[in-house]
Amino acid sequence: MNRATESELAPATRADESLWLATERLNLAQRAARFGIWDWYVTTNTIVWSPEMFHLFGLDSESRTASFEAWQSVLHPDDQVMAGQRIEAALQEHTVLDNDYRIVTPDGEVRWINSIGEATYDEGGRPVRMIGICSDITQRKQAEEILRTREEQFRMMFENHDAVMLLINPLTGDIIDANNAAARFYGYDSTTLKTKNISDINALNPEQIKAERLSALHEERNTFIFQHRVAGGDIRMVEVNSSPITLKGQTILFSIIHDITRRIRAEEHLQKTLVELTHSNEELRQFAYVASHDLQEPLRMVASYTELLARRYSSQLDDEARKFILYAVEGATRMQQLIDDLLLFSRVGTRKLPQESVSTEELLATALHNLQAAIDESGAEITRDELPTVRADSSQMLQLFQNLVGNAIKFRRPGEPPRIHVSACTLGQEWQFSITDNGIGIDPQFSERIFTIFQRLHAREQYPGTGIGLAICKRIVERHGGRIWVESVPGQGSTFHFTLGRLP
Amino acid sequence: MKPILLIVDDNLGDRELVRQALAEIGSAVGILEAADGDDALELLETLKREHKRLPDVILLDLNLVRLSGHEVLSRIKADEAFHSIPVVVYTSSQAGADISRSYHLGAASVLTKPLTFGEAEILFSNFVLFWLRPVTFDPAEKSQEPERAEA
């Protein structure tokens, strides 16, 4: 087929070798660039197409001949009138024709064609001949269409999004565009906002702003924390995500602005609270130290001198006086115990927690060993299930088990040997330990209060103690991130539950 | 010759307790008292100036008004005339830092103030045994002691 088409344009004789060569080169160029040449003799209405023209239109050059009708037959119905009018106009106004139109090939494929042509005219200004080229611009048109769709989508998103958005000239800082949310946030109408420069809004100085803008442009950084001034003069803390995008062939900065004023305030507030908390914790620790230390001085005086009084003058005193001295000694002893317990309690909170793997079975065994005297005396029967290994401070865990089992032994019903069972089960990501006894139980109305420091429910003569044990238990469990609570039926027994995080 | 003990404590009750405990265990001890650090240093200076006998042992409280016990201790240890007098720190503090600082400054011992009179009796019987019984040594023996500067 190529041979045939070449021979069409080639001269009949090959006498003029250079002309033949030029034609050959032209044909090659047309194929490579996918453009065809058309030559229209207006007066006779005859048309000559180069072989590539047939190609472009998807026509068979052997069965079809070039004609105005052949051209019209491939034109897309929607572009037919327009394409004709444009030629008409070029001829009338003696201008260069440059038109894009669509064609439909016989296979049904739609192609975009760009046609450029120029006419020659006779003395009367009537067109004689028009010559031009057609090229396939389908790919470019498709790319443009995609780009147009994208830009349209972007514009839709930009305009209607609730997030505050600005388009900024990366070099000058001029605000090219601002969406509705931006107008609301900054308190200017969109038109006013678009006349502003970002330095009218950003509280930094212009040099700093420029440096930040360039770092966004070169994608060194994308997220910035700025202070933006809004219409009323208020300063808002903003987090800006800024990155370069290409719109209509231009690189611009697309910035999304988040108002983080409240977040920053909340963070500041939190930080302040944390500092205050640390401070008050430190004061509390100091207090516990002072209490344990300075309170002991006068106490020592009271205890030692009442003792001395009892020793030296006992024989000169009557029974009542001796009883008074006994009460004073008892009071001092109790005070001593309270101070010691207070110190113990405060230490649970201040010691750094060493986290080690501890077998709670071994801990329970040690606790029972420490409680042996009480167990023997009460005839307690203690059973347990299989107990897990946990990550915890072993000395605090020992104290926890010892306090809870010790309580279960201590608060027994008269004449009823304590029966105590220790168990553990998994509860989600936690272990739940339970210590069940058959003791006196706790009135549910006190089930919270028993965990507060120095809270007692019974007369000292009945059940001795300062009321610190469960407060210490609670503090230990909470320091390990767990909870402690009690379920009880008064007169039948209690179950103390506490949770600890499971080993990962 | 009775050994002499200097008690430095700003609490009158505490000084009295020491005296009572020593009396209770029947120890014959000459007792000097100072109500604070400045008082104690002044007393020592006066004794030195008047060539009177210095205390054989000093019982020093840490928690004093004005000069702290540690301050008093380091001044005693810095003075050529006093530095060989054993200073026993007598305190209610059980803080490790207080104790180690006391030893660092040259305390001979650190005793915790007992909570009851009974405990005080036991403590001071030991104290007497440890620090007051062997203090009367032969002056001739003392002269054979190597000079401190050479040590």
Side-chain angles (χ1 to χ4, degrees):
Chain A
M1 179 188 138
N2 280 347
R3 281 264 131 230
T5 53
E6 275 163 21
S7 60
E8 273 175 43
L9 278 188
T13 64
R14 294 196 175 180
D16 196 340
E17 187 73 9
S18 67
L19 178 62
W20 183 84
L21 267 176
T23 310
E24 188 73 350
R25 284 192 196 108
L26 185 62
N27 284 342
L28 202 65
Q30 289 182 47
R31 269 210 304 284
R34 284 181 67 83
F35 74 86
I37 297 176
W38 50 269
D39 196 351
W40 178 30
Y41 298 88
V42 184
T43 43
T44 59
N45 196 21
T46 50
I47 293 183
V48 176
W49 283 347
S50 74
E52 198 56 31
M53 282 297 290
F54 290 93
H55 242 145
L56 284 179
F57 293 160
L59 298 175
D60 183 351
S61 61
E62 286 178 4
S63 62
R64 298 293 294 264
T65 50
S67 68
F68 202 78
E69 290 68 33
W71 174 65
Q72 276 186 320
S73 74
V74 293
L75 273 176
H76 191 285
D78 291 351
D79 291 352
Q80 234 162 28
V81 178
M82 177 273 289
Q85 284 171 346
R86 294 292 290 273
I87 294 171
E88 206 68 28
L91 290 178
Q92 270 181 15
E93 290 157 26
H94 297 204
T95 52
V96 174
L97 170 75
D98 184 351
N99 188 27
D100 296 346
Y101 55 81
R102 283 165 296 174
I103 58 149
V104 185
T105 67
D107 294 343
E109 187 191 336
V110 175
R111 287 180 186 166
W112 274 95
I113 300 295
N114 170 252
S115 183
I116 294 173
E118 195 165 14
T120 52
Y121 304 90
D122 64 13
E123 287 117 19
R126 283 181 296 274
V128 178
R129 181 184 176 193
M130 193 175 199
I131 188 163
I133 58 170
C134 278
S135 52
D136 184 346
I137 56 164
T138 309
Q139 282 186 354
R140 199 187 82 203
K141 280 286 180 186
Q142 279 170 349
E144 279 173 7
E145 177 63 19
I146 290 169
L147 200 64
R148 208 180 53 78
T149 314
R150 282 207 193 131
E151 287 187 358
E152 202 166 287
Q153 282 170 345
F154 173 79
R155 178 133 299 278
M156 293 270 288
M157 184 274 293
F158 182 81
E159 279 306 326
N160 303 321
H161 207 287
D162 283 338
V164 176
M165 296 178 182
L166 297 176
L167 296 182
I168 297 161
N169 181 323
L171 302 174
T172 63
D174 287 336
I175 296 173
I176 299 168
D177 206 348
N179 70 356
N180 296 328
R184 280 196 299 275
F185 175 64
Y186 290 109
Y188 301 107
D189 60 74
S190 301
T191 322
T192 313
L193 203 51
K194 282 178 218 171
T195 63
K196 291 192 175 294
N197 188 281
I198 196 66
S199 59
D200 299 328
I201 284 172
N202 197 319
L204 291 178
N205 70 46
E207 283 74 36
Q208 289 172 311
I209 300 171
K210 190 176 180 195
E212 300 286 45
R213 216 164 52 222
L214 292 179
S215 72
L217 178 65
H218 301 128
E219 298 194 79
E220 289 152 7
R221 272 177 69 199
N222 287 118
T223 305
F224 306 84
I225 304 285
F226 289 134
Q227 296 184 347
H228 276 187
R229 197 179 292 108
V230 299
D234 273 2
I235 296 286
R236 313 291 296 173
M237 296 296 300
V238 292
E239 186 180 271
V240 179
N241 296 108
S242 196
S243 47
I245 58 165
T246 306
L247 266 186
K248 296 194 174 72
Q250 277 192 312
T251 302
I252 51 181
L253 281 182
F254 171 47
S255 295
I256 306 175
I257 292 102
H258 310 275
D259 184 359
I260 54 165
T261 312
R262 282 176 71 177
R263 194 178 90 198
I264 296 275
R265 296 238 170 94
E267 278 168 9
E268 283 170 356
H269 184 71
L270 201 66
Q271 189 57 35
K272 209 170 128 230
T273 312
L274 197 68
V275 169
E276 279 169 4
L277 198 67
T278 312
H279 187 69
S280 77
N281 260 349
E282 179 55 26
E283 277 184 340
L284 206 63
R285 206 181 61 78
Q286 288 280 352
F287 169 77
Y289 180 82
V290 166
S292 64
H293 212 253
D294 294 5
L295 291 184
Q296 297 216 16
E297 297 268 342
L299 183 62
R300 215 178 51 249
M301 292 295 109
V302 176
S304 299
Y305 281 103
T306 42
E307 195 184 335
L308 202 54
L309 197 63
R311 259 184 210 219
R312 300 260 176 89
Y313 303 97
S314 200
S315 57
Q316 298 165 45
L317 298 172
D318 61 11
D319 281 353
E320 196 169 51
R322 279 196 291 272
K323 196 170 72 190
F324 292 168
I325 289 176
L326 184 70
Y327 289 161
V329 171
E330 273 181 5
T333 311
R334 210 158 60 233
M335 183 74 180
Q336 185 61 52
Q337 190 59 51
L338 284 168
I339 290 170
D340 287 349
D341 284 351
L342 192 64
L343 196 61
L344 194 67
F345 180 74
S346 77
R347 278 194 190 130
V348 175
T350 53
R351 256 185 59 189
K352 198 172 169 288
L353 275 185
Q355 295 279 316
E356 50 203 344
S357 279
V358 285
S359 154
T360 52
E361 281 189 8
E362 282 173 27
L363 278 186
L364 181 63
T366 312
L368 296 184
H369 178 80
N370 294 347
L371 293 165
Q372 200 55 54
I375 294 170
D376 291 345
E377 188 213 305
S378 62
E381 190 184 301
I382 299 162
T383 54
R384 66 161 177 83
D385 290 347
E386 201 176 307
L387 299 176
T389 295
V390 295
R391 189 168 289 280
D393 176 339
S394 64
S395 73
Q396 291 193 355
M397 280 297 118
L398 175 63
Q399 191 160 30
L400 177 63
F401 277 101
Q402 201 166 310
N403 282 1
L404 291 177
V405 176
N407 275 353
I409 297 172
K410 183 160 106 182
F411 295 100
R412 59 180 179 268
R413 274 176 286 161
E416 187 89 23
R419 295 160 84 92
I420 300 160
H421 184 71
V422 183
S423 63
C425 62
T426 56
L427 193 81
Q429 291 306 299
E430 296 180 314
W431 282 106
Q432 180 181 318
F433 292 82
S434 304
I435 291 133
T436 305
D437 65 48
N438 62 339
I440 57 172
I442 296 154
D443 188 330
Q445 64 169 313
F446 299 123
S447 58
E448 299 275 337
R449 263 168 62 187
I450 52 169
F451 293 104
T452 52
I453 189 166
F454 298 144
Q455 177 66 53
R456 301 172 39 84
L457 299 179
H458 306 280
R460 221 175 332 270
E461 292 72 29
Q462 210 179 349
Y463 295 102
T466 56
I468 191 107
L470 287 175
I472 288 178
C473 288
K474 184 168 192 264
R475 203 147 190 201
I476 291 173
V477 171
E478 285 177 355
R479 286 215 79 198
H480 285 80
R483 289 157 290 124
I484 185 167
W485 68 101
V486 66
E487 285 168 3
S488 179
V489 180
Q492 287 183 31
S494 310
T495 301
F496 281 85
H497 304 281
F498 66 87
T499 60
L500 290 175
R502 282 178 66 182
L503 284 179
Chain B
M1 203 161 39
K2 281 199 294 186
I4 299 174
L5 170 69
L6 168 60
I7 306 170
V8 188
D9 199 316
D10 53 2
N11 188 346
L12 185 65
D14 266 318
R15 298 203 299 270
E16 177 70 37
L17 264 183
V18 175
R19 258 191 279 123
Q20 290 298 335
L22 289 171
E24 194 78 8
I25 58 176
S27 178
V29 182
I31 290 174
L32 296 171
E33 291 182 30
D36 61 44
D38 303 76
D39 204 4
L41 293 168
E42 210 178 292
L43 174 67
L44 289 173
E45 285 298 335
T46 310
L47 292 174
K48 184 174 92 175
R49 202 167 49 241
E50 296 172 1
H51 301 287
K52 287 190 176 154
R53 208 180 130 197
L54 292 172
D56 297 289
V57 177
I58 298 169
L59 196 64
L60 176 67
D61 184 23
L62 287 185
N63 189 17
L64 296 171
V65 292
R66 298 195 284 173
L67 278 184
S68 79
H70 283 141
E71 192 73 45
V72 176
L73 176 57
S74 58
R75 291 202 192 177
I76 291 172
K77 290 299 161 187
D79 192 309
E80 188 66 23
F82 312 130
H83 72 192
S84 58
I85 305 172
V87 178
V88 172
V89 167
Y90 184 58
T91 176
S92 56
S93 169
Q94 293 186 40
D98 281 348
I99 296 168
S100 62
R101 176 132 188 82
S102 301
Y103 282 119
H104 178 77
L105 293 173
S109 180
V110 178
L111 303 177
T112 303
K113 290 183 178 177
L115 297 170
T116 66
F117 190 74
E119 289 170 33
E121 269 182 298
I122 298 168
L123 182 82
F124 279 99
S125 342
N126 289 321
F127 175 79
V128 167
L129 211 60
F130 241 88
W131 296 108
L132 295 178
R133 278 246 306 242
V135 292
T136 46
F137 43 82
D138 187 352
E141 202 180 321
K142 196 175 183 177
S143 68
Q144 284 166 13
E145 206 182 15
E147 286 296 312
R148 192 160 285 266
E150 291 168 19

